[in-house]
Amino acid sequence: MSAPERIPPRSVTVTDLLTQGELTVRGRIRDASNAVLFCTVEHDGERAECVYKPVAGERPLWDFPDGSLARREVAAYEVSEALGWGLVPPTVLRDGPHGEGMCQLWIETLPPDAAPELLALVDAEEPEPGWKAIGLAEVGEGRTALLVHADDPRLRRLAVLDAVINNADRKGGHLLPAAGERLYGIDHGVTFNAENKLRTLLWGWAGESLTEEALTALAALRGALAEGGPLALRLAELITPQELDATRSRVAALLDSGRHPAPSGEWPAIPWPPV
């Protein structure tokens, strides 16, 4: 979603622009399962491109409360910011042309010839150095190949974020490599469920020790999530009390174990389609 030159100067913060700016719909992203509108937002002479997902355009899901996906997207951004990793583009909840919805800064991705390779299918039993195995995938005519992801510290941070927010849909298409060696994750509507629903392509570190960086970030996150803490107060506006308690429990479990989680076996581990 945004190239550095499209991010407004700090005289108007990105979140102020997204929250207070005049939102104009320019088109619709057709391949999304819910209504996703491409927009511009303007405020105090500053302008940026953004995505607007109105609550009215959300399709009902059997395992998430109706009309809650936009708030979960904002909650994922808040947790990402509390971790200090900036993994989710600036995201706010606001009114728009089609009612309340989430508004997220558009990220201009790198062209294919300049983007790092993050996922691959290889004809091998084990990944090469620099790659982590996800699992076997059918590639047609009874053949299988090994699905792998890059052993990239940015992906590893995303894997930690997904474990915290209980992301039920981390697909390859939700990874956005951008200028300045930035990597963003998007589409966080099916997160924060109180039941374990972690479903992701980023299983390559399952069972491995968390990095010191991750442990430090998680310890700070635990403090922010404490009763009366700033993040706890913000998330209480976005998710249910049970989901907030479950988030605290996931952070505590990560810190207690010191390891990346492994698939539970109670829920499909990999989203479909994976990309």
Side-chain angles (χ1 to χ4, degrees):
M1 300 186 161
S2 207
E5 66 269 20
R6 296 192 181 185
I7 296 177
R10 289 300 176 182
S11 58
V12 176
T13 68
V14 179
T15 52
D16 283 347
L17 178 61
L18 293 173
T19 304
Q20 302 172 25
E22 181 180 356
L23 195 61
T24 302
V25 176
R26 303 295 182 183
R28 180 170 181 173
I29 299 173
R30 294 289 182 182
D31 58 354
S33 56
N34 297 301
V36 181
L37 305 177
F38 177 72
C39 302
T40 55
V41 62
E42 298 186 59
H43 179 63
D44 276 356
E46 304 297 343
R47 181 179 184 274
E49 295 170 341
C50 60
V51 167
Y52 164 52
K53 297 183 182 181
V55 171
E58 294 178 5
R59 296 170 65 180
L61 298 172
W62 68 270
D63 51 350
F64 286 85
D66 291 351
S68 70
L69 305 190
R71 291 174 180 269
R72 294 170 193 278
E73 296 240 31
V74 179
Y77 166 70
E78 297 287 352
V79 170
S80 169
E81 290 299 287
L83 284 166
W85 290 336
L87 297 170
V88 179
T91 311
V92 303
L93 192 71
R94 60 163 294 168
D95 284 330
H98 300 285
E100 184 181 74
M102 83 81 158
C103 186
Q104 184 176 82
L105 188 70
W106 178 267
I107 299 299
E108 195 70 38
T109 57
L110 293 172
D113 59 351
E117 191 174 17
L118 300 175
L119 297 166
L121 282 168
V122 296
D123 188 13
E125 294 183 359
E126 297 291 337
E128 294 183 357
W131 294 88
K132 290 285 189 177
I134 303 169
L136 292 174
E138 294 186 7
V139 293
E141 299 180 355
R143 295 176 55 247
T144 60
L146 185 65
L147 182 60
V148 297
H149 65 68
D151 188 3
D152 185 311
R154 300 169 300 175
L155 287 180
R156 192 164 190 172
R157 294 183 192 116
L158 268 174
V160 174
L161 172 66
D162 286 344
V164 170
I165 66 176
N166 196 16
N167 192 350
D169 195 33
R170 173 63 73 205
K171 297 177 180 176
H174 301 166
L175 306 173
L176 303 183
E181 298 186 348
R182 295 297 302 270
L183 180 68
Y184 294 96
I186 60 167
D187 286 352
H188 297 109
V190 286
T191 51
F192 293 100
N193 200 296
E195 298 180 8
N196 182 10
K197 291 185 179 289
L198 184 58
R199 188 168 58 172
T200 174
L201 285 179
L202 304 180
W203 286 117
W205 298 281
E208 292 188 16
S209 297
L210 293 164
T211 64
E212 286 300 319
E213 175 196 50
L215 291 170
T216 299
L218 288 167
L221 182 64
R222 176 161 58 184
L225 285 169
E227 291 284 351
L231 182 60
L233 294 173
R234 178 63 179 132
L235 292 186
E237 302 171 350
L238 301 167
I239 59 178
T240 70
Q242 294 80 9
E243 290 166 344
L244 180 53
D245 284 342
T247 303
R248 293 187 180 108
S249 295
R250 289 191 295 270
V251 173
L254 288 167
L255 286 167
D256 289 346
S257 71
R259 296 184 178 278
H260 288 268
S264 68
E266 301 172 355
W267 177 256
I270 296 175
W272 187 262
V275 177

